[in-house]
Amino acid sequence: MNSSQLFGITTLTYLLSSAFYIGLLIFKNKKIGLIGLGLAIFGATALTAALGLRWYESYQLGIGHAPLTNMYESLVFFAWCTTLFYIFLEFKFKIRVVGAFVMPFAFTAMAYASFAKGINQQINPLIPALQSNWLIAHVMTCFIGYAAFAVAGGLGLMYLLKKSAVNRGLAENSLTGGLPELKIIDDLTHKTIIFGFMWLTAGIITGAVWANEAWGTYWSWDPKETWSIITWFVYALTLHARFTRGWSGSRIAWLAIIGFISVFFTYFGVNFLLSGLHSYGSS
Amino acid sequence: MATKSKNPVWVFFASVKLALFLLITLASTSIIGTVIQQNQPAGQYVQQYGENMAGLIQMLSIDDMYNSWWFLALLGIFSLNLIICSLERIPNVIRIIRKDNLTTNPERLHKMRLHKSIQLSGSPAAAQQAVTDYLAGCGWKTKSRDKENGPLLFSQKGGWTRFGVYIVHVSILTILLGAVIGSSNFAQKVLHKPDFAFKGSIMVPESQETDFIFAFQSGDKIDLGFTIRCNYFTIEYYDNGMPKTYLSKVSVLEDGRPVPLKNGETVHNLEVNRPLTYKGITFYQSSYQPYSDFLVNITNTNSGEGHTHNSIISEGKQIEFADDNISFGIINQETRGEAVQRVKIWFTDNQGDPSIFWLNNDQEAVIERPSGEYTLRVKQLYATGLQVTKDPGVWWVYTGCGMMLFGLFVAFFMSHRKIWAHVYEDDGQPTVIFAGSANKNKVGFEKIFTALVDGFKESKKV
Ligand code: HEM
């Protein structure tokens, strides 16, 4: 067994898990949801093993480094964080259907990493600029943040769906009937954003410290840095709108979605559409 | 505050609406600079966007928008907003923290969201003692005051956490202040001391030294106040040809003599991610330049004291060292890209045929000659490209970053918690009512409160 087989198994498991969670949403059968959860846990376990194995393999190649150094590895790590964060939420808040809005993100990340053209799956040695412990700290903190924002985006979407169903007076047995109450989704979105905001802040800070160690400038307004601060502004705005102006509900749900689009652009758009220091990510 | 808050300018800057507006504006204008490439020559904008757009770009300094007057002004207003908004609110926070919670009317305890009454036996005085001891045992030190119908006890924790938000806001200001202190524009244009803070670079060939650098953008010469020498430069590669290490061995000289550096030695191995800081100036490995010349190092090992000649030579040139009566030249070379792999050496001590042989770059050869033994090393000459930074603001920035993380943690995850207990007689029976409140994380506090009260009930049963 090598790590790429395990990554394959994870991708498949995540697909099945997403399917079962969506099944739960549609049929509201508790057993289906339980299978979805079981698959998510199994997939996360396989992915943990795969990441560990890939790490080990890199040492066998004589270029040992944590599996956090290129687009492929970061996508996989994103999927890993998202699932673990979601499983934690499910156990803490007992909201199983949310999986229907989260597991597809994790699956998409895995599938994209595995199948998209131009994503290099090889374990490569690190160029001098990437040989820093700050790289590990930076990627980990950023991606924990991104994972939380992905979940918050999913929750925002869920809120809007439920809200529109409630507004149209749809009956309890309709598709959205199984979703948690609006107030609960709203509260969870908020908590998730707070969690993500802490980690994004830490991610930007560790990135700045690293840049200062490697290049002598902690901030150079390169497009990726700029987009990360734009994202940070969006979430700071969301938090302030809630704390100080009492925003909640649909507005916060929209902001959670806009925030995630900004995260997405920071992560992908910048690599593919703009140029800058972080272009290693596109390899 | 009351008089000040009538001042419309103050009111404007104290408003949270302005903060939201500024956050949106900063976020959306920041996008421009990620789409339009920054700091390009003027001609390129004309080519890419046409005359008119290029004119607009120049007028609004969009080619360097994050240093433009309007972006800096936005950041300035943002700072002012933060300062005044916080100043406006801090007195209120202090009032809340200082508040005498023993003036609370005991009747109000019954109306609080979290409250619980428990009947006790024994004398009221004993009951008060039991409650006080129990709360103190759980880490809630109480103060008490006698009310008409029995004593009121109060205890609180984490009042200071109400400042968490302001720690965050001050941290933002600290970071911005650090950015100003470390800005070369500020050093040049405001302080008129360009060597206070700068960013620049310099190329130093191996075996050479410099005591100045060139500032970025302006290209001005800036004196370092000491000398830095590049002793050696090399690049190592992985098997697949990717670069593994860029290494410069550098020394700092004062009055011509190498000084001990932080590692205790006089040579620092400068690599990417391993900068050297000396007297507040930091050197980073940032680029390199191969030359077509060679560094030659010949030692006559017979003469005991190791007579060494160092020299720089180019291909096809011959050098003589008259005192040892030797001549030396490089007659051919093999390169990969710009990097020399090996060189063909011509060497003679003017006794018998010359030695001619290939030698790998930067490897030592021992040559046996009629006149004795010589060691020889030939290395392609490189210059190391150093980025040089003096940023006295960076510690402000780092301090601000630390404060921000701490402040966010306090603001999001800690709360100001209060507990009251009132001991009174209900139908001749001593009774205690507990009540509590927290300004944040109310669900978490409810658990703590319930456990506290249940624990008290338990202890009374025993
Ligand atoms: C123009 C700039 C800003 C202004 C005027 C401002 C103002 C405020 C105000 C009035 C509050 C509410 C305080 C209260 O209700 O007691 C607040 C809370 C907060 N602000 Fe800001 N803020 C600004 C920027 C930021 C930024 C950029 C951040 C990003 C980290 C931030 C982080 C926070 C946090 C974490 C809270 C905590 C809310 C709570 O837990 O009660 N602020 N801000």
Side-chain angles (χ1 to χ4, degrees):
Chain A
M1 177 85 65
N2 63 26
S3 64
S4 38
Q5 285 166 316
L6 276 173
F7 285 121
I9 292 174
T10 308
T11 311
L12 191 66
T13 314
Y14 279 7
L15 176 63
L16 290 175
S17 171
S18 309
F20 274 93
Y21 273 118
I22 292 170
L24 168 69
L25 182 68
I26 297 170
F27 302 112
K28 302 188 188 63
N29 177 327
K30 286 222 171 76
K31 267 192 211 134
I32 297 182
L34 206 58
I35 297 173
L37 173 66
L39 285 166
I41 293 175
F42 177 78
T45 314
L47 191 48
T48 311
L51 282 167
L53 199 55
R54 187 174 168 101
W55 199 336
Y56 172 75
E57 285 164 3
S58 76
Y59 274 92
Q60 288 198 316
L61 291 173
I63 48 174
H65 58 76
L68 297 171
T69 58
N70 59 19
M71 189 62 157
Y72 175 76
E73 291 175 337
S74 69
L75 275 165
V76 169
F77 187 69
F78 170 75
W80 187 72
C81 293
T82 307
T83 329
L84 287 189
F85 183 68
Y86 170 68
I87 293 172
F88 165 78
L89 275 193
E90 177 164 337
F91 275 99
K92 187 161 158 77
F93 297 102
K94 317 264 179 298
I95 32 97
R96 188 147 293 156
V97 271
V98 178
F101 294 81
V102 174
M103 287 313 290
F105 279 129
F107 164 70
T108 310
M110 287 302 295
Y112 185 79
S114 314
F115 303 119
K117 263 204 211 124
I119 292 202
N120 179 0
Q121 297 181 20
Q122 271 177 342
I123 303 180
N124 277 326
L126 295 183
I127 59 166
L130 300 185
Q131 295 164 13
S132 167
N133 286 333
W134 288 107
L135 166 70
I136 314 279
H138 176 54
V139 177
M140 292 223 319
T141 43
C142 282
F143 278 84
I144 295 173
Y146 291 178
F149 291 142
V151 172
L155 286 164
L157 202 62
M158 196 161 126
Y159 185 95
L160 294 177
L161 277 180
K162 172 102 181 174
K163 177 89 182 192
S164 81
V166 169
N167 285 353
R168 281 178 289 138
L170 289 187
E172 273 299 296
N173 60 3
S174 74
L175 193 59
T176 51
L179 296 178
E181 272 180 52
L182 286 176
K183 244 183 79 184
I184 293 176
I185 308 177
D186 182 50
D187 184 51
L188 217 53
T189 312
H190 177 59
K191 288 199 167 100
T192 308
I193 289 178
I194 284 180
F195 181 83
F197 190 71
M198 285 288 295
W199 286 101
L200 177 65
T201 308
I204 294 175
I205 291 175
T206 49
V209 175
W210 177 27
N212 196 40
E213 288 286 298
W215 294 290
T217 355
Y218 50 81
W219 195 260
S220 50
W221 292 106
D222 110 298
K224 194 118 180 165
E225 285 171 356
T226 309
W227 270 97
S228 72
I229 202 80
I230 292 169
T231 306
W232 190 76
F233 283 142
V234 171
Y235 286 109
L237 175 83
T238 308
L239 293 174
H240 280 84
R242 188 176 184 106
F243 282 134
T244 62
R245 313 223 39 97
W247 282 26
S248 66
S250 303
R251 291 178 184 184
I252 296 290
W254 274 112
L255 282 168
I257 292 168
I258 293 171
F260 184 63
I261 292 172
S262 180
V263 167
F264 189 81
F265 198 80
T266 308
Y267 183 20
F268 276 102
V270 173
N271 289 340
F272 294 121
L273 302 178
L274 310 168
S275 61
L277 288 176
H278 285 74
S279 42
Y280 82 86
S282 59
S283 68
Chain B
M1 235 9 85
T3 46
K4 269 186 198 154
S5 36
K6 291 210 180 84
N7 180 337
V9 180
W10 182 277
V11 171
F12 175 74
F13 281 109
S15 112
V16 183
K17 272 191 199 154
L18 177 64
L20 298 184
F21 170 77
L22 286 171
L23 284 169
I24 293 178
T25 314
L26 281 169
S28 39
T29 53
S30 291
I31 297 175
I32 300 171
T34 70
V35 178
I36 297 179
Q37 280 209 352
Q38 298 290 290
N39 296 308
Q40 302 297 313
Q44 183 167 333
Y45 295 103
V46 178
Q47 208 176 33
Q48 209 171 338
Y49 301 101
E51 286 285 346
N52 292 341
M53 260 307 266
L56 191 68
I57 286 173
Q58 296 298 341
M59 196 175 77
L60 295 178
S61 308
I62 288 174
D63 56 333
D64 187 17
M65 70 154 272
Y66 304 107
N67 291 311
S68 68
W69 59 270
W70 59 268
F71 195 76
L72 295 178
L74 267 179
L75 286 176
I77 298 172
F78 183 73
S79 309
L80 213 58
N81 186 198
L82 260 174
I83 295 171
I84 293 180
C85 183
S86 298
L87 282 181
E88 180 80 9
R89 282 156 192 258
I90 283 178
N92 197 27
V93 175
I94 295 176
R95 208 172 310 127
I96 292 174
I97 294 173
R98 289 239 182 106
K99 184 178 169 197
D100 180 3
N101 287 279
L102 288 170
T103 57
T104 311
N105 181 352
E107 289 307 314
R108 266 209 49 222
L109 269 47
H110 296 265
K111 296 192 191 93
M112 287 171 75
R113 208 174 65 84
L114 286 181
H115 71 263
K116 180 105 188 157
S117 317
I118 297 167
Q119 292 224 321
L120 299 169
S121 49
S123 73
Q128 179 186 357
Q129 194 59 46
V131 173
T132 309
D133 290 348
Y134 173 76
L135 285 178
C138 297
W140 296 89
K141 272 219 157 47
T142 49
K143 287 185 178 153
S144 72
R145 187 171 300 158
D146 286 330
K147 298 278 174 178
E148 293 139 43
N149 43 359
L152 178 67
L153 307 174
F154 174 75
S155 179
Q156 61 182 337
K157 283 183 188 174
W160 67 275
T161 64
R162 288 182 182 267
F163 284 111
V165 177
Y166 304 101
I167 298 174
V168 176
H169 291 171
V170 171
S171 78
I172 295 171
L173 296 169
T174 311
I175 291 171
L176 289 174
L177 181 69
V180 171
I181 293 175
S183 140
S184 50
N185 278 333
F186 181 74
Q188 276 166 20
K189 293 179 189 151
V190 182
L191 299 179
H192 302 293
K193 273 170 63 179
D195 61 351
F196 180 77
F198 56 80
K199 283 193 191 349
S201 67
I202 190 82
M203 296 295 285
V204 193
E206 285 172 288
S207 79
Q208 308 282 304
E209 56 202 40
T210 178
D211 58 4
F212 63 87
I213 59 133
F214 296 107
F216 285 152
Q217 278 161 0
S218 70
D220 291 345
K221 217 161 134 176
I222 295 178
D223 286 324
L224 293 172
F226 54 84
T227 303
I228 183 145
R229 182 170 70 203
C230 173
N231 304 309
Y232 179 80
F233 175 84
T234 189
I235 309 173
E236 288 169 34
Y237 294 92
Y238 293 106
D239 295 338
N240 69 359
M242 281 170 63
K244 181 179 184 182
T245 316
Y246 302 108
L247 169 70
S248 304
K249 292 183 186 255
V250 296
S251 296
V252 171
L253 313 177
E254 298 245 33
D255 303 323
R257 249 167 296 143
V259 294
L261 302 171
K262 265 194 206 121
N263 59 6
E265 294 171 27
T266 53
V267 176
H268 178 89
N269 287 346
L270 192 72
E271 293 175 38
V272 184
N273 280 306
R274 279 195 60 196
L276 166 69
T277 302
Y278 184 77
K279 293 199 168 160
I281 299 178
T282 308
F283 298 86
Y284 300 85
Q285 179 68 61
S286 75
S287 65
Y288 64 92
Q289 169 76 54
Y291 290 112
S292 53
D293 292 342
F294 295 88
L295 275 171
V296 182
N297 175 285
I298 301 174
T299 307
N300 180 347
T301 50
N302 334 324
S303 58
E305 64 267 27
H307 200 144
T308 302
H309 303 282
N310 291 312
S311 191
I312 295 179
I313 184 178
S314 40
E315 190 194 337
K317 291 265 159 52
Q318 182 183 334
I319 39 172
E320 282 172 37
F321 300 107
D323 47 348
D324 272 318
N325 197 22
I326 51 178
S327 306
F328 165 90
I330 293 171
I331 53 178
N332 202 354
Q333 57 177 316
E334 228 174 69
T335 58
R336 192 195 292 158
E338 286 183 297
V340 172
Q341 302 297 308
R342 40 180 214 153
V343 288
K344 197 166 190 181
I345 308 283
W346 176 90
F347 182 90
T348 181
D349 54 357
N350 297 318
Q351 299 179 28
D353 290 339
S355 305
I356 297 176
F357 57 95
W358 283 98
L359 177 63
N360 284 345
N361 184 50
D362 204 13
Q363 245 178 29
E364 199 167 79
V366 177
I367 314 170
E368 303 285 352
R369 295 294 305 174
S371 63
E373 200 179 88
Y374 298 85
T375 59
L376 170 79
R377 184 187 282 269
V378 177
K379 179 184 182 303
Q380 182 184 13
L381 181 70
Y382 277 81
T384 184
L386 304 178
Q387 167 154 348
V388 187
T389 299
K390 183 174 177 191
D391 185 344
V394 75
W395 292 107
W396 290 88
V397 174
Y398 283 2
T399 308
C401 290
M403 276 168 68
M404 180 179 291
L405 286 175
F406 175 70
L408 283 175
F409 184 83
V410 173
F412 290 147
F413 301 113
M414 296 177 83
S415 58
H416 183 192
R417 289 145 294 159
K418 302 177 178 180
I419 296 232
W420 289 265
H422 183 222
V423 182
Y424 61 102
E425 281 194 85
D426 192 18
D427 287 341
Q429 185 94 15
T431 302
V432 56
I433 174 166
F434 290 99
S437 74
N439 66 332
K440 262 175 288 175
N441 188 12
K442 302 196 177 183
V443 182
F445 181 69
E446 186 168 345
K447 285 193 190 129
I448 294 174
F449 179 81
T450 313
L452 193 72
V453 174
D454 289 350
F456 180 71
K457 251 201 272 183
E458 282 299 307
S459 74
K460 286 299 103 185
K461 268 190 203 135
V462 177

